[in-house]
Amino acid sequence: MNNFEYARALSVDGAIQLSTSESRFLAGGIDLVGEMKEYIISPKRVIDLKTIPDLDRIDTSSGTWKLGANVTIAEIAKNPQIIATLPGLAEAASEVGSPQIRNVATLGGNLAQHSRCWYYRHRDLRCLKRGGSTCYAREGENKYHSLFSGNPCISPAVSNLAVILAALDARVNVRRGDTEQTLTIRELYSDAWNNPLAHNSLQQGDLIVHVEIPTQKNRSTYLQVSEKSEFDWALVSCAAAGRNTGGQWADITVFLGAVAPIPYRVDSPLLEGGELSKDAIESIAGSIASKATPLAHNGYKVPIAQALVRRALARIVT
Ligand SMILES: Cc1cc2nc3c(=O)[nH]c(=O)nc-3n(C[C@H](O)[C@H](O)[C@H](O)COP(=O)(O)OP(=O)(O)OC[C@H]3O[C@@H](n4cnc5c(N)ncnc54)[C@H](O)[C@@H]3O)c2cc1C
Ligand code: SF4
């Protein structure tokens, strides 16, 4: 990889001050270092965030929990309070990569990770997402690509945590220069829906500080199907969360992962509340097929997405 300056940030303000138009933030480095080794990005300065105190805290002292950007995925997967109260979040974390990756990778890095499209990751290709003029996947090898997209790039968002955090109505606290922004997960990714160059809505120098997760939804789950049981991304993932009071459902949200450049919301009036019958679940899962636009090699994702929606909803209602 190219030479670069290495700087340690000792505070959020310090990280912002160190940031330039040609710098990148480094957390666990699982994604960033891979991109640098392949010359996909060549930052002049790398700013280590791991040296910022307090960004690795899990604060459960109020009804809205606060997880610092440097909390590792392993910590999320094994935290007893998360397992008891937000089981879907622990499940999503425990499915990330492998134990080695989970020990190092962080919440902030997982949300801000870049496309896994094999054309994007190829050092000698310059596809649309890297500023070129062609999406090679559309007419090429698109087995792992999106069923839904608002732009010519069909690279899907693959962060497990984004899918469950979307279902849990989490908000992401971002420092942008001197200002603080609080983004929903939908807002954190919305730019990637319309803009082929975007992996998410973060701008150069934006720093994810923490994620706020309301705990009102007392049922949640996360499921995925992958080709391998370890060391692999989901072909399709699904998260569902809701609030059950005396058998009555409210605020049910279902999101799919790895099928769109954003965590994809499964919308249905049947999710608005009341009782969730077997027929209703079947109808919600069935509705996905008519909205999807499969390509030559990824049509198999539609029945997987439907099965995962069925299973995730059945899991939270029983
Ligand atoms: C073999 C393999 C399998 C994997 N399987 C999965 C999987 O199943 N599910 C899944 O979700 N992921 C998977 N991953 C991806 C992995 O989880 C991510 O690469 C990792 O979470 C990134 O976290 P990190 O802390 O290492 O981030 P880094 O690599 O340090 O950073 C990633 C990106 O985020 C930016 N960044 C980091 N922290 C912040 C912050 N606080 N604010 C703003 N920007 C920031 C960096 O500048 C960089 O662009 C896999 C990776 C590998 C190599
Ligand atoms: S899907 Fe996106 S990242 Fe992949 S080749 Fe097409 S433009 Fe590039």
Side-chain angles (χ1 to χ4, degrees):
M1 65 175 84
N2 289 338
N3 287 339
F4 57 89
E5 284 178 12
Y6 169 79
R8 287 199 181 100
L10 300 177
S11 64
V12 169
D13 284 338
I16 298 294
Q17 281 159 17
L18 284 166
S19 171
T20 70
S21 59
E22 293 186 286
S23 65
R24 285 299 178 113
F25 294 127
L26 171 76
I30 302 275
D31 192 39
L32 184 79
V33 176
E35 282 198 302
M36 288 169 67
K37 281 182 177 171
E38 293 297 332
Y39 299 94
I40 295 165
I41 52 168
S42 298
K44 294 258 165 58
R45 177 182 290 170
V46 166
I47 304 161
D48 196 344
L49 304 177
K50 285 288 198 104
T51 40
I52 303 180
D54 299 338
L55 277 197
D56 58 355
R57 294 243 174 103
I58 297 178
D59 176 359
T60 58
S61 58
S62 73
T64 297
W65 293 4
K66 224 162 106 175
L67 272 60
N70 284 348
V71 173
T72 65
I73 294 176
E75 283 164 330
I76 296 173
K78 69 176 187 220
N79 181 287
Q81 283 177 287
I82 293 180
I83 293 170
T85 308
L86 305 170
L89 180 58
E91 287 159 10
S94 68
E95 294 274 9
V96 170
S98 65
Q100 294 85 347
I101 289 170
R102 296 194 286 275
N103 282 338
V104 174
T106 63
L107 170 59
N110 188 264
L111 292 176
Q113 66 178 292
H114 287 178
S115 163
R116 297 305 313 182
C117 172
W118 39 28
Y119 298 106
Y120 170 82
R121 294 271 163 174
H122 195 295
R123 71 166 70 179
D124 301 326
L125 291 178
R126 208 157 158 266
C127 73
L128 211 50
K129 201 162 211 68
R130 284 173 63 183
S133 57
T134 305
C135 170
Y136 298 105
R138 276 204 175 259
E139 303 301 324
E141 296 294 336
N142 46 46
K143 174 178 173 185
Y144 299 120
H145 291 75
S146 299
L147 296 172
F148 314 90
S149 182
N151 77 82
C153 170
I154 47 168
S155 173
V158 292
S159 159
N160 288 19
L161 299 186
V163 182
I164 181 68
L165 289 172
L168 289 167
D169 306 323
R171 287 172 178 268
V172 182
N173 181 277
V174 174
R175 263 294 291 274
R176 179 171 291 167
D178 290 336
T179 65
E180 266 186 46
Q181 318 262 326
T182 304
L183 307 177
T184 60
I185 295 290
R186 182 169 270 197
E187 287 164 345
L188 182 69
Y189 287 94
S190 57
D191 283 8
W193 180 260
N194 293 317
N195 178 1
L197 293 165
H199 302 271
N200 48 52
S201 312
L202 293 175
Q203 298 174 7
Q204 172 63 26
D206 280 2
L207 177 71
I208 297 175
V209 180
H210 63 255
V211 176
E212 294 169 9
I213 314 171
T215 52
Q216 282 82 0
K217 289 188 172 175
N218 55 2
R219 302 301 294 269
S220 65
T221 193
Y222 171 92
L223 294 164
Q224 72 175 50
V225 169
S226 315
E227 284 177 320
K228 293 182 283 173
S229 61
E230 286 281 343
F231 222 68
D232 205 5
W233 284 265
L235 294 169
V236 183
S237 64
C238 179
R243 189 157 44 87
N244 185 299
T245 328
Q248 291 297 300
W249 282 97
D251 299 336
I252 301 177
T253 34
V254 183
F255 280 84
L256 291 166
V259 296
I262 56 171
Y264 182 80
R265 185 170 183 151
V266 179
D267 275 321
S268 166
L270 297 168
L271 287 168
E272 275 165 20
E275 285 176 25
L276 202 55
S277 66
K278 219 172 162 190
D279 286 347
I281 292 177
E282 196 50 50
S283 159
I284 294 161
S287 68
I288 295 167
S290 59
K291 296 173 190 156
T293 316
L295 299 148
H297 308 293
N298 69 353
Y300 73 94
K301 286 193 176 195
V302 174
I304 295 180
Q306 290 176 313
L308 289 180
V309 168
R310 257 184 233 116
R311 283 183 213 167
L313 284 172
R315 251 201 197 186
I316 65 162
V317 299
T318 49

